[in-house]
Amino acid sequence: MAKKNYVEKKFSCVREGLTIRGLLFEPLNGRENAEGKWPVAIVSHMFMVNYKLVEKYARFLAEQGYLAVCYDFNGGGLFSKSDGKSVDMSVLTEVKDLEAVIEAVLKHEKADASRLMLMGCSQGGFVSGLVAAKHPEMVEKLVMFYPALSIPDDARKGQMLMAKFDPQNIPEKIKCGFMKLGRCYVTDVIEMDAFQEIAAYEGPVLILHGTADNAVDCANSKKAAEIYKNVRLELIEGAGHGFLKEHGVRAMELLKEFVN
């Protein structure tokens, strides 16, 4: 078994009384700057799951010399290790979570605040894009894997993944598969223009999206690529919502090219 090129530690921080939990990976051969500090990568998971689904990306980035973190959004998914309830979660509460994680990670004695990369998958990709646009001066690079930029449009249609509702009469609670969502999940985005919101970020962006994605049409990523000024869009032929097997290998190759 190959020796790990990083040290794994537990990570936690607090946002408005809710504890966010995850993992932090310190590189053993980091890309140190003149002050001996490492670049930082924060990886955000998709809807309904937890950081276990993106942990491999954080480990990979640590191997590439980044101080890397993956974490659970508050109320963000099944088996979450963070606090919070799913009925109180929305894209905007996840924006606050990511901002809290950034603030905490940048306090690490070896963190180089001038080299911060945000990476997210699906809803986590959308959230990462929103935070990058909100704090463009802080974010050096942005990576979005099959970003769920369709969420506001889906809210207006009254169909968000497995959740169906009347957008003119939004209920207090909405059943979505094995999760219950609150009214805020819809109301926080129903009047949002996702593409207008993300456009303020002008740094380097990598977007990867599968052409066979049935959850989020890759047309959304194509539209985002027209808006971003410094973007590389790669459509992975035949990949669905999530990169498995050979699609995952290709995604890792493209990620490695981007960070190097």
Side-chain angles (χ1 to χ4, degrees), residues 18 21 42 46 72 111 130 140-141 143 157 198 205 227 252 259:
L18 300 172
R21 299 177 178 89
I42 299 175
M46 53 286 274
D72 285 351
L130 291 173
E140 183 189 38
K141 294 180 179 179
V143 177
K157 294 173 185 174
I198 65 172
V205 182
I227 290 169
M252 287 296 200
V259 299

PDB file of all heavy atoms in Angstrom, residues 18 21 42 46 72 111 130 140-141 143 157 198 205 227 252 259:
ATOM      1  N   LEU A  18     -24.236  26.166  15.619  1.00  0.00           N
ATOM      2  CA  LEU A  18     -24.257  24.817  15.042  1.00  0.00           C
ATOM      3  C   LEU A  18     -22.834  24.378  14.727  1.00  0.00           C
ATOM      4  O   LEU A  18     -22.081  25.114  14.090  1.00  0.00           O
ATOM      5  CB  LEU A  18     -25.101  24.789  13.768  1.00  0.00           C
ATOM      6  CG  LEU A  18     -26.576  25.181  13.906  1.00  0.00           C
ATOM      7  CD1 LEU A  18     -27.217  25.295  12.529  1.00  0.00           C
ATOM      8  CD2 LEU A  18     -27.325  24.174  14.759  1.00  0.00           C
ATOM      9  N   ARG A  21     -18.697  19.611  11.227  1.00  0.00           N
ATOM     10  CA  ARG A  21     -17.642  18.623  11.452  1.00  0.00           C
ATOM     11  C   ARG A  21     -17.167  18.026  10.138  1.00  0.00           C
ATOM     12  O   ARG A  21     -17.941  17.887   9.193  1.00  0.00           O
ATOM     13  CB  ARG A  21     -18.141  17.512  12.377  1.00  0.00           C
ATOM     14  CG  ARG A  21     -18.567  18.007  13.763  1.00  0.00           C
ATOM     15  CD  ARG A  21     -19.115  16.897  14.627  1.00  0.00           C
ATOM     16  NE  ARG A  21     -19.469  17.388  15.958  1.00  0.00           N
ATOM     17  CZ  ARG A  21     -20.662  17.890  16.272  1.00  0.00           C
ATOM     18  NH1 ARG A  21     -21.618  17.954  15.357  1.00  0.00           N
ATOM     19  NH2 ARG A  21     -20.900  18.323  17.499  1.00  0.00           N
ATOM     20  N   ILE A  42     -10.932  23.642  -0.025  1.00  0.00           N
ATOM     21  CA  ILE A  42     -12.106  23.261   0.764  1.00  0.00           C
ATOM     22  C   ILE A  42     -13.121  22.614  -0.172  1.00  0.00           C
ATOM     23  O   ILE A  42     -13.533  23.217  -1.172  1.00  0.00           O
ATOM     24  CB  ILE A  42     -12.713  24.483   1.466  1.00  0.00           C
ATOM     25  CG1 ILE A  42     -11.686  25.099   2.422  1.00  0.00           C
ATOM     26  CG2 ILE A  42     -13.986  24.090   2.229  1.00  0.00           C
ATOM     27  CD1 ILE A  42     -12.129  26.374   3.092  1.00  0.00           C
ATOM     28  N   MET A  46     -22.437  17.140  -2.070  1.00  0.00           N
ATOM     29  CA  MET A  46     -23.690  17.316  -2.776  1.00  0.00           C
ATOM     30  C   MET A  46     -24.897  17.177  -1.847  1.00  0.00           C
ATOM     31  O   MET A  46     -24.755  16.891  -0.664  1.00  0.00           O
ATOM     32  CB  MET A  46     -23.791  16.345  -3.954  1.00  0.00           C
ATOM     33  CG  MET A  46     -23.567  14.895  -3.571  1.00  0.00           C
ATOM     34  SD  MET A  46     -21.845  14.467  -3.234  1.00  0.00           S
ATOM     35  CE  MET A  46     -21.224  14.101  -4.841  1.00  0.00           C
ATOM     36  N   ASP A  72     -19.285  18.324   6.568  1.00  0.00           N
ATOM     37  CA  ASP A  72     -20.727  18.168   6.367  1.00  0.00           C
ATOM     38  C   ASP A  72     -21.431  19.504   6.570  1.00  0.00           C
ATOM     39  O   ASP A  72     -21.190  20.191   7.572  1.00  0.00           O
ATOM     40  CB  ASP A  72     -21.320  17.165   7.361  1.00  0.00           C
ATOM     41  CG  ASP A  72     -20.987  15.724   7.025  1.00  0.00           C
ATOM     42  OD1 ASP A  72     -20.445  15.486   5.928  1.00  0.00           O
ATOM     43  OD2 ASP A  72     -21.274  14.845   7.852  1.00  0.00           O
ATOM     44  N   ALA A 111      -1.809  27.886   6.846  1.00  0.00           N
ATOM     45  CA  ALA A 111      -2.696  28.212   5.726  1.00  0.00           C
ATOM     46  C   ALA A 111      -2.263  29.493   5.029  1.00  0.00           C
ATOM     47  O   ALA A 111      -2.053  30.520   5.673  1.00  0.00           O
ATOM     48  CB  ALA A 111      -4.131  28.346   6.213  1.00  0.00           C
ATOM     49  N   LEU A 130     -21.379  30.450  -5.440  1.00  0.00           N
ATOM     50  CA  LEU A 130     -21.984  31.617  -4.790  1.00  0.00           C
ATOM     51  C   LEU A 130     -21.000  32.282  -3.836  1.00  0.00           C
ATOM     52  O   LEU A 130     -20.892  33.509  -3.787  1.00  0.00           O
ATOM     53  CB  LEU A 130     -23.247  31.202  -4.039  1.00  0.00           C
ATOM     54  CG  LEU A 130     -24.449  30.772  -4.889  1.00  0.00           C
ATOM     55  CD1 LEU A 130     -25.564  30.223  -4.000  1.00  0.00           C
ATOM     56  CD2 LEU A 130     -24.974  31.939  -5.726  1.00  0.00           C
ATOM     57  N   GLU A 140      -8.804  32.067  -4.961  1.00  0.00           N
ATOM     58  CA  GLU A 140      -7.854  32.043  -6.075  1.00  0.00           C
ATOM     59  C   GLU A 140      -8.363  31.177  -7.223  1.00  0.00           C
ATOM     60  O   GLU A 140      -8.210  31.520  -8.394  1.00  0.00           O
ATOM     61  CB  GLU A 140      -6.499  31.506  -5.609  1.00  0.00           C
ATOM     62  CG  GLU A 140      -5.454  31.518  -6.714  1.00  0.00           C
ATOM     63  CD  GLU A 140      -4.175  30.795  -6.342  1.00  0.00           C
ATOM     64  OE1 GLU A 140      -4.245  29.749  -5.674  1.00  0.00           O
ATOM     65  OE2 GLU A 140      -3.103  31.284  -6.738  1.00  0.00           O
ATOM     66  N   LYS A 141      -9.000  30.033  -6.893  1.00  0.00           N
ATOM     67  CA  LYS A 141      -9.484  29.104  -7.914  1.00  0.00           C
ATOM     68  C   LYS A 141     -10.805  28.502  -7.470  1.00  0.00           C
ATOM     69  O   LYS A 141     -11.081  28.381  -6.279  1.00  0.00           O
ATOM     70  CB  LYS A 141      -8.475  27.965  -8.150  1.00  0.00           C
ATOM     71  CG  LYS A 141      -7.155  28.389  -8.758  1.00  0.00           C
ATOM     72  CD  LYS A 141      -6.241  27.176  -8.944  1.00  0.00           C
ATOM     73  CE  LYS A 141      -4.911  27.570  -9.573  1.00  0.00           C
ATOM     74  NZ  LYS A 141      -4.016  26.394  -9.740  1.00  0.00           N
ATOM     75  N   VAL A 143     -13.486  25.144  -8.445  1.00  0.00           N
ATOM     76  CA  VAL A 143     -13.745  23.893  -9.151  1.00  0.00           C
ATOM     77  C   VAL A 143     -15.195  23.479  -8.901  1.00  0.00           C
ATOM     78  O   VAL A 143     -15.629  23.400  -7.754  1.00  0.00           O
ATOM     79  CB  VAL A 143     -12.800  22.762  -8.677  1.00  0.00           C
ATOM     80  CG1 VAL A 143     -13.148  21.452  -9.395  1.00  0.00           C
ATOM     81  CG2 VAL A 143     -11.355  23.138  -8.918  1.00  0.00           C
ATOM     82  N   LYS A 157     -40.340  25.697 -10.902  1.00  0.00           N
ATOM     83  CA  LYS A 157     -41.176  24.675 -11.533  1.00  0.00           C
ATOM     84  C   LYS A 157     -41.952  23.841 -10.511  1.00  0.00           C
ATOM     85  O   LYS A 157     -42.880  23.112 -10.881  1.00  0.00           O
ATOM     86  CB  LYS A 157     -40.302  23.735 -12.370  1.00  0.00           C
ATOM     87  CG  LYS A 157     -39.638  24.387 -13.564  1.00  0.00           C
ATOM     88  CD  LYS A 157     -38.662  23.418 -14.219  1.00  0.00           C
ATOM     89  CE  LYS A 157     -37.876  24.075 -15.344  1.00  0.00           C
ATOM     90  NZ  LYS A 157     -36.820  23.158 -15.881  1.00  0.00           N
ATOM     91  N   ILE A 198     -23.462  34.032  -9.785  1.00  0.00           N
ATOM     92  CA  ILE A 198     -22.088  33.507  -9.815  1.00  0.00           C
ATOM     93  C   ILE A 198     -21.142  34.351 -10.666  1.00  0.00           C
ATOM     94  O   ILE A 198     -19.924  34.202 -10.588  1.00  0.00           O
ATOM     95  CB  ILE A 198     -22.050  32.054 -10.316  1.00  0.00           C
ATOM     96  CG1 ILE A 198     -22.503  31.959 -11.777  1.00  0.00           C
ATOM     97  CG2 ILE A 198     -22.874  31.145  -9.413  1.00  0.00           C
ATOM     98  CD1 ILE A 198     -22.311  30.570 -12.395  1.00  0.00           C
ATOM     99  N   VAL A 205     -11.694  29.042 -13.286  1.00  0.00           N
ATOM    100  CA  VAL A 205     -12.771  28.104 -12.948  1.00  0.00           C
ATOM    101  C   VAL A 205     -12.612  26.834 -13.777  1.00  0.00           C
ATOM    102  O   VAL A 205     -12.366  26.892 -14.981  1.00  0.00           O
ATOM    103  CB  VAL A 205     -14.164  28.713 -13.237  1.00  0.00           C
ATOM    104  CG1 VAL A 205     -15.268  27.745 -12.829  1.00  0.00           C
ATOM    105  CG2 VAL A 205     -14.338  30.056 -12.529  1.00  0.00           C
ATOM    106  N   ILE A 227     -20.631  32.627 -19.094  1.00  0.00           N
ATOM    107  CA  ILE A 227     -20.656  33.770 -18.181  1.00  0.00           C
ATOM    108  C   ILE A 227     -19.296  34.020 -17.546  1.00  0.00           C
ATOM    109  O   ILE A 227     -18.843  35.162 -17.445  1.00  0.00           O
ATOM    110  CB  ILE A 227     -21.741  33.548 -17.105  1.00  0.00           C
ATOM    111  CG1 ILE A 227     -23.122  33.652 -17.750  1.00  0.00           C
ATOM    112  CG2 ILE A 227     -21.599  34.541 -15.959  1.00  0.00           C
ATOM    113  CD1 ILE A 227     -24.243  33.208 -16.866  1.00  0.00           C
ATOM    114  N   MET A 252     -10.279  13.057 -12.193  1.00  0.00           N
ATOM    115  CA  MET A 252      -9.075  13.259 -11.395  1.00  0.00           C
ATOM    116  C   MET A 252      -7.927  13.798 -12.258  1.00  0.00           C
ATOM    117  O   MET A 252      -7.156  14.659 -11.824  1.00  0.00           O
ATOM    118  CB  MET A 252      -8.655  11.956 -10.724  1.00  0.00           C
ATOM    119  CG  MET A 252      -9.535  11.536  -9.561  1.00  0.00           C
ATOM    120  SD  MET A 252      -9.485  12.694  -8.174  1.00  0.00           S
ATOM    121  CE  MET A 252     -10.079  11.642  -6.849  1.00  0.00           C
ATOM    122  N   VAL A 259      -5.030  22.096 -10.954  1.00  0.00           N
ATOM    123  CA  VAL A 259      -4.340  22.577  -9.754  1.00  0.00           C
ATOM    124  C   VAL A 259      -2.837  22.718  -9.990  1.00  0.00           C
ATOM    125  O   VAL A 259      -2.164  23.454  -9.260  1.00  0.00           O
ATOM    126  CB  VAL A 259      -4.599  21.670  -8.525  1.00  0.00           C
ATOM    127  CG1 VAL A 259      -6.084  21.633  -8.211  1.00  0.00           C
ATOM    128  CG2 VAL A 259      -4.051  20.274  -8.714  1.00  0.00           C
TER     129      VAL A 259
END
